[in-house]
Amino acid sequence: MADRTTELHVAQTENTKLVAARVLSAFAFAFALLAASAAEVLLMMGSWIYSAMWADTPDFPGSYWFAVVPMVVCALVLQARARGLTRD
């Protein structure tokens, strides 16, 4: 009987470590995506300010939104999946 309890405890510990690893990796990846998208927005604003101050025609670099929006969406999806893993 004691051996079965020990086996269950070891299995539960392994499952807890697995879930924690998945959650932490999802959060790390989501944080990396959010940081990358924030850096992209800062570069986009810097380019806009530079073109407004030193160029003749200020041009808002709206084409960069095609890079920022997918990164933010991926980060939000990963955070939602990580929350789902912790609730299971």
Side-chain angles (χ1 to χ4, degrees), residues 31-43 65 67-72 75:
F31 179 73
L33 283 172
L34 286 176
S37 63
E40 184 75 27
V41 167
L42 287 175
L43 289 171
W65 285 115
V68 173
V69 172
M71 286 190 280
V72 171

Side-chain angles (χ1 to χ4, degrees), residues 21-47:
R22 286 184 182 174
V23 168
L24 289 176
S25 65
F27 276 137
F29 194 60
F31 179 73
L33 283 172
L34 286 176
S37 63
E40 184 75 27
V41 167
L42 287 175
L43 289 171
M44 186 171 56
M45 292 298 149
S47 174

Side-chain angles (χ1 to χ4, degrees), residues 10-67:
V10 169
Q12 183 179 11
T13 303
E14 292 295 323
N15 287 337
T16 302
K17 288 180 182 178
L18 180 63
V19 168
R22 286 184 182 174
V23 168
L24 289 176
S25 65
F27 276 137
F29 194 60
F31 179 73
L33 283 172
L34 286 176
S37 63
E40 184 75 27
V41 167
L42 287 175
L43 289 171
M44 186 171 56
M45 292 298 149
S47 174
W48 185 36
I49 291 170
Y50 174 78
S51 70
M53 293 184 140
W54 289 285
D56 293 334
T57 57
D59 183 29
F60 183 74
S63 61
Y64 293 121
W65 285 115
F66 292 108

